Amino acid sequence: MKKMLAAVLYGAEDMRVEEVPVPEIAENEVLIAVKSCGICGTDPHIYRGHFPVPFPLIQGHEFSGEVVSTGAAVTTVGIGDKVTADITISCGKCFYCRMGQKLFCEEIVQIGVHTNGAFAQYVKVPETNIYKLPEEMSWEEAAYIEPLACVIRGQERANITMGSTVAIIGAGPMGLVHAQLAKMNGAATVIMSEMNAVRIEKAKNLGVDHVIDASAQDPVQAVLDLTEGRGADFVIEAVGAIPTYQQAFQMVRRGGVLVTYGAAPAHAIMEIKPFEIYSKELTIVGSYAGTYDTWLKAIHLISSKRFKPTDIISKSIPLTNIVDGIKEAMTNKDIIKIIVDCTVVRQ
């Protein structure tokens, strides 16, 4: 077991599926045979060079797998365990780590973003980042723990209240999860804005109260019409584009909360009116990634069947088709979520 197949990104739009050495683990690390890995909305940004990463890089951070080797100092994880992993590796010593804010660690390393990830047959992870999974959970379900943990953090940052109105821009794999969790958190009305017909139907099938076809009507006016002209209590931008961020500012009511969830390109800039934030007393919260207890909550929601990843997953592809999969995720909005089967290397 010296070589493995992996998708290596050498630069913008230069990804090659090739044989590379299997990662060597340190005494506090485990080696995981990757079973499933989701294509995240961030992955196309990385692939196109819109998200700063080191090259070469093996992407992939939404994964599940089986432990096949453990370092000499590992005591809580054993060979054969079904696992996933918190992708954020922090130093544990800096100001932010000591404040319980490891996402801002001065030495942060994220698997599949800053260091090699799981678009490969094997990935290594520190023991402290490992979460064991129920045997009855499928590999595809387990690969959805990371994105679900991210959404849970966004919902907790927003502090969605009972009986509130929540507007979500974008019915993609994150927006649809936000809609479901908003209901779980007590929202009385969930409004979703989307342009793609397939995603509009998916949102309706998942029980979203009002689904706005943004290709046929002004989504801002539609939200105002549904809220007696006030705007929504909470607005979640789950697209990551300047025009939709501008819509979010117009959709939120005075005294409301705007959640900046969609990952816009790192270089993107938009104009805002400080007076609007001031006069409307807006609360604006960012949500970057899941961490700490959001992982446990995600595992429990999936294992209890309160949240079903199969409602969101569109298709599964073999590892050798990863480049086509990333391009399809970028261009085909009829596809909501693609899972890469890292145990199958040929179509």
Side-chain angles (χ1 to χ4, degrees):
M1 197 175 67
K2 295 182 179 180
K3 294 282 187 178
M4 68 175 184
L5 207 62
V8 184
L9 187 69
Y10 285 94
E13 300 188 24
D14 181 12
M15 179 179 282
R16 309 170 207 169
V17 179
E18 59 190 19
E19 281 198 337
V20 299
V22 171
E24 294 185 5
I25 58 173
E27 65 174 10
N28 65 335
E29 293 177 325
V30 302
L31 185 67
I32 300 168
V34 182
K35 302 297 184 178
S36 291
C37 186
I39 295 179
C40 173
T42 306
D43 286 320
H45 288 306
I46 295 173
Y47 174 79
R48 289 185 289 183
H50 294 170
F51 194 102
V53 298
F55 297 117
L57 175 72
I58 300 171
Q59 292 176 235
H61 57 270
E62 304 176 354
F63 63 91
S64 62
E66 181 179 339
V67 175
V68 294
S69 182
T70 61
V74 172
T75 60
T76 63
V77 182
I79 293 173
D81 284 346
K82 176 181 281 191
V83 298
T84 188
D86 183 341
I87 67 168
T88 300
I89 303 170
S90 62
C91 73
K93 299 174 290 186
C94 70
F95 170 84
Y96 293 107
C97 286
R98 292 180 185 275
M99 289 294 290
Q101 297 176 311
K102 74 173 184 176
L103 289 176
F104 314 127
C105 174
E106 294 171 357
E107 299 177 23
I108 188 173
V109 173
Q110 290 186 307
I111 298 167
V113 179
H114 307 109
T115 189
N116 286 337
F119 287 153
Q121 290 179 296
Y122 298 93
V123 65
K124 68 174 182 178
V125 178
E127 176 187 15
T128 52
N129 288 57
I130 294 290
Y131 288 90
K132 295 182 185 179
L133 303 175
E135 280 302 316
E136 63 273 14
M137 187 181 291
S138 73
W139 297 119
E140 285 193 349
E141 288 176 326
Y144 220 100
I145 290 168
E146 193 276 342
L148 181 56
C150 291
V151 175
I152 291 170
R153 178 168 170 79
Q155 297 263 320
E156 291 181 345
R157 294 274 291 148
N159 193 25
I160 289 173
T161 52
M162 301 284 283
S164 59
T165 297
V166 179
I168 302 164
I169 304 175
M174 294 287 92
L176 291 170
V177 180
H178 269 295
Q180 295 177 75
L181 263 61
K183 284 286 191 179
M184 291 184 198
N185 281 324
T189 304
V190 174
I191 306 166
M192 180 159 270
S193 170
E194 173 58 51
M195 299 181 72
N196 177 271
V198 171
R199 295 185 175 198
I200 287 171
E201 282 305 307
K202 174 62 76 171
K204 291 177 179 177
N205 292 338
L206 289 175
V208 176
D209 298 297
H210 302 281
V211 185
I212 301 163
D213 183 350
S215 69
Q217 63 183 129
D218 178 2
V220 174
Q221 188 59 53
V223 170
L224 294 175
D225 291 343
L226 290 165
T227 56
E228 300 177 327
R230 291 187 302 273
D233 303 310
F234 300 86
V235 176
I236 301 170
E237 201 283 353
V239 175
I242 297 304
T244 44
Y245 267 112
Q246 291 169 333
Q247 289 175 7
F249 273 94
Q250 298 172 61
M251 285 181 184
V252 65
R253 71 163 172 84
R254 291 193 294 271
V257 177
L258 193 159
V259 184
T260 60
Y261 188 87
H267 62 272
I269 298 173
M270 67 177 284
E271 291 185 356
I272 61 174
K273 298 177 181 178
F275 185 82
E276 184 177 6
I277 301 171
Y278 157 79
S279 62
K280 293 175 74 172
E281 291 199 350
L282 296 181
T283 298
I284 302 173
V285 298
S287 181
Y288 174 47
T291 188
Y292 300 119
D293 62 337
T294 61
W295 284 80
L296 290 171
K297 291 171 182 176
I299 292 168
H300 295 157
L301 280 175
I302 293 174
S303 62
S304 67
K305 307 301 182 183
R306 288 276 284 156
F307 174 78
K308 299 177 181 178
T310 50
D311 289 338
I312 310 293
I313 296 170
S314 301
K315 64 187 292 188
S316 178
I317 63 171
L319 179 59
T320 43
N321 289 18
I322 181 64
V323 176
D324 290 339
I326 289 177
K327 289 179 178 178
E328 186 169 21
M330 285 192 294
T331 60
N332 184 3
K333 297 307 176 184
D334 288 352
I335 295 294
I336 298 173
K337 186 69 175 183
I338 299 174
I339 297 290
V340 180
D341 184 341
C342 295
T343 67
V344 179
V345 296
R346 291 283 182 268
Q347 181 70 30

